[in-house]
Amino acid sequence: MAKMAPDQIAERLDAFETRCRQLGLPLTTQRHAVLRAVLEHHDHPTADQVLETVRDRVPGISRTTVYRALDTLVALGFVRRLHHAGPSARFDGQTHRHHHLICDKCHKVIDLQDESLDRLHISEVHAEGFQIEDFSVHFMGICRACRRSEPS
Ligand SMILES: [Zn+2]
Ligand SMILES: [Zn+2]
């Protein structure tokens, strides 16, 4: 995702705090640290990358705790889980509609903002009686860095 400014990160953390209070959910140091780590990573981190970052701040935090906190954050809509991003799930702190370019070689995930994709209208969906709540388009390919390193 695009780099988030520190005040943007602070804003999202505040919003999360408010939401926890509304829901009567304890705002644990762990959850707070996990959300902060996702927001600070600009590259759609895996759960293990989040764990690595959080470990520096919350010594002794377990992998299970981090995974559970990620699940909670996804369920509450503060973090998105990407289902299409290579071998392991990736997490995205950017929750507005956007799309992704995914490198087949290095599994890098690049954000893509495109209005024509946002307005996609697919008539087949109505025939299925399916109601789309949300979507994100992903394109698989080879990123610039990997193309450069390819023997030509
Ligand atoms: Zn690549
Ligand atoms: Zn993204």
Side-chain angles (χ1 to χ4, degrees):
M1 69 191 198
K3 202 169 159 72
M4 251 193 212
D7 55 326
Q8 258 180 306
I9 293 177
E11 220 169 81
R12 299 288 294 280
L13 288 168
D14 278 353
F16 179 59
E17 236 174 283
T18 307
R19 192 87 187 94
C20 282
R21 227 176 289 130
Q22 286 168 346
L23 295 170
L25 217 71
L27 176 77
T28 57
T29 319
Q30 288 94 327
R31 278 196 194 124
H32 196 270
V34 168
L35 178 56
R36 200 172 132 203
V38 175
L39 296 175
E40 284 173 357
H41 266 278
H42 316 299
D43 50 359
H44 307 83
T46 63
D48 285 335
Q49 285 170 325
V50 172
L51 174 66
E52 245 170 70
T53 306
V54 172
R55 255 188 192 146
D56 291 338
R57 294 170 185 158
V58 188
I61 191 168
S62 74
R63 156 181 261 172
T64 314
T65 304
V66 168
Y67 276 58
R68 273 207 203 116
L70 281 169
D71 284 343
T72 307
L73 289 164
V74 169
L76 294 178
F78 282 87
V79 169
R80 278 190 186 202
R81 179 187 275 112
L82 308 186
H83 294 281
H84 48 60
S88 41
R90 308 280 290 253
F91 295 87
D92 199 338
Q94 212 76 264
T95 51
H96 65 271
R97 173 151 306 150
H98 68 283
H99 312 284
H100 294 110
L101 305 172
I102 298 163
C103 180
D104 272 325
K105 281 199 147 175
C106 67
H107 306 298
K108 188 191 336 207
V109 180
I110 302 163
D111 281 335
L112 177 69
Q113 218 56 71
D114 186 285
E115 277 184 29
S116 60
L117 288 178
D118 294 348
R119 285 195 304 262
L120 268 189
H121 183 80
I122 300 160
S123 46
E124 262 316 289
V125 172
H126 296 288
E128 286 288 336
F130 188 88
Q131 186 183 330
I132 295 176
E133 302 284 353
D134 192 18
F135 69 93
S136 165
V137 179
H138 68 278
F139 298 92
M140 308 299 296
I142 311 290
C143 76
R144 187 184 300 158
C146 289
R147 279 173 50 216
R148 276 208 191 112
S149 62
E150 250 174 19
S152 50

